[in-house]
Amino acid sequence: SITAGADRANLALAAASTRIRGMEDELGAPLLERMRHGIEPTAAGRTLVQYARTILRQVADMRGALGDHARGVTVQVRLLCNTAALTEFLPDIIGPFLSSHPTINVELQEYPSAEIIRLVTAGRADLGVVADSVETGRLAVQPFRLDQLVAVMSRNHPLASRESVEFNDLLAYPFVGFSKGSALQNHLDGHAERLGSRINYRVRLHDADAVCRVVARDVGIAVVSETAALRCRCDMALTHIPLVEDWACRKLMLCAREFGELPSHTQCLLEALVLD
């Protein structure tokens, strides 16, 4: 709606409407189609958006190129990722990158992989990290990391002696899960529903370390990235078991509309993210 758009742009509704009418008069074509329940862009409106995004990317590229020469000028890269990338892989990359690039900021947000595809395709993010289980459409992709999901449990749990486990077997036990909205937890909930079941959560926590600390108290079991399980096992009375399902071994992929067309500052981040 124009009201929501005006609010997002910190404009009064009347000012936003005046700007839209001014653009339509200047271009000689309607940009928005007024519907009963809101607005939709016309063909001319969609064309304008494409050109506007190109111009904004070029401005960001210019600022990135001049960043080393202009004090106080910073640019921002918007990077969307799933739970595993956010908690297990990106912190060790983003920290050194930001230290060595003081004129670049990174807006990092967690979304389910399918939503990341939609947002990157729509030009609302520069880069994404998604699981290879989703259809990437027209986006360019390249490998990021391998993410193996494992079940973690206390060492005296009935399943602790197994070498591997099926996800369906885990559903008979209470879970310690991630907070609502977690991409990983949404992923697991979806697989439980396909099995005609639901996960019984005793508690939900924000990150893998907190989840594992509660699991170590024999409160329940959890499914986390193997990297998290290995890290937490050093300090906690835990064991971890690989899941046998194909979907539990996920290839994480970087995605963008076109890697070669990214602004120079985004290219810098991309180079830091790609394995040698």
Side-chain angles (χ1 to χ4, degrees):
S1 69
I2 295 177
T3 300
D7 183 64
R8 181 176 177 181
N10 296 315
L11 290 173
L13 177 59
S17 297
T18 299
R19 289 193 182 188
I20 293 170
R21 285 196 299 271
M23 287 191 292
E24 290 178 329
D25 291 342
E26 178 71 20
L27 297 170
L31 301 175
L32 299 173
E33 182 179 1
R34 277 71 175 176
M35 315 291 287
R36 178 178 299 177
H37 300 294
I39 55 174
E40 291 286 342
T42 63
R46 288 191 291 271
T47 298
L48 176 62
V49 167
Q50 291 175 354
Y51 278 101
R53 285 175 175 155
T54 298
I55 292 168
L56 290 172
R57 283 197 298 270
Q58 290 173 339
V59 170
D61 197 9
M62 177 191 69
R63 287 180 172 175
L66 295 175
D68 291 337
H69 308 288
R71 179 177 299 175
V73 175
T74 60
V75 292
Q76 182 163 283
V77 181
R78 191 179 186 205
L79 172 61
L80 309 183
C81 60
N82 62 7
T83 307
L86 178 66
T87 60
E88 300 306 321
F89 300 109
L90 288 174
D92 290 336
I93 302 172
I94 295 297
F97 173 81
L98 292 175
S99 295
S100 59
H101 295 82
T103 61
I104 301 177
N105 294 336
V106 177
E107 180 184 352
L108 189 59
Q109 292 185 316
E110 179 187 355
Y111 283 96
S113 292
E115 181 68 3
I116 294 172
I117 296 298
R118 186 185 71 80
L119 292 171
V120 174
T121 300
R124 294 173 61 184
D126 304 292
L127 291 169
V129 180
V130 299
D132 66 343
S133 56
V134 298
E135 176 58 49
T136 55
R138 298 171 303 196
L139 295 181
V141 297
Q142 56 181 292
F144 175 60
R145 300 293 189 277
L146 187 66
D147 177 39
Q148 172 68 54
L149 296 179
V150 299
V152 290
M153 60 200 68
S154 65
R155 292 172 183 169
N156 60 351
H157 193 276
L159 300 178
S161 60
R162 294 195 183 185
E163 293 185 359
S164 62
V165 66
E166 294 183 8
F167 183 60
N168 191 47
D169 293 338
L170 300 179
L171 297 176
Y173 299 91
F175 265 66
V176 177
F178 290 87
S179 302
K180 289 184 178 181
S182 160
L184 173 57
Q185 211 59 66
N186 291 341
H187 180 64
L188 297 175
D189 287 339
H191 284 290
E193 289 177 6
R194 293 183 188 96
L195 293 171
S197 185
R198 296 182 64 182
I199 297 176
N200 172 24
Y201 295 107
R202 295 202 64 195
V203 65
R204 291 172 179 260
L205 299 159
H206 182 67
D207 58 58
D209 289 59
V211 167
C212 287
R213 285 203 300 271
V214 175
V215 168
R217 296 289 185 175
D218 208 15
V219 172
I221 59 177
V223 174
V224 301
S225 293
E226 187 174 33
T227 53
L230 290 170
R231 182 180 66 252
C232 294
R233 191 179 66 175
C234 297
D235 302 319
M236 307 174 197
L238 291 173
T239 188
H240 71 274
I241 307 171
L243 298 178
V244 301
E245 285 80 6
D246 290 341
W247 55 259
C249 185
R250 305 185 298 174
K251 294 179 181 178
L252 301 183
M253 309 294 291
L254 287 160
C255 64
R257 295 175 72 171
E258 284 292 343
F259 290 119
E261 295 181 2
L262 292 172
S264 59
H265 58 278
T266 309
Q267 293 277 2
C268 289
L269 177 59
L270 178 63
E271 291 172 6
L273 295 173
V274 175
L275 283 171
D276 294 333

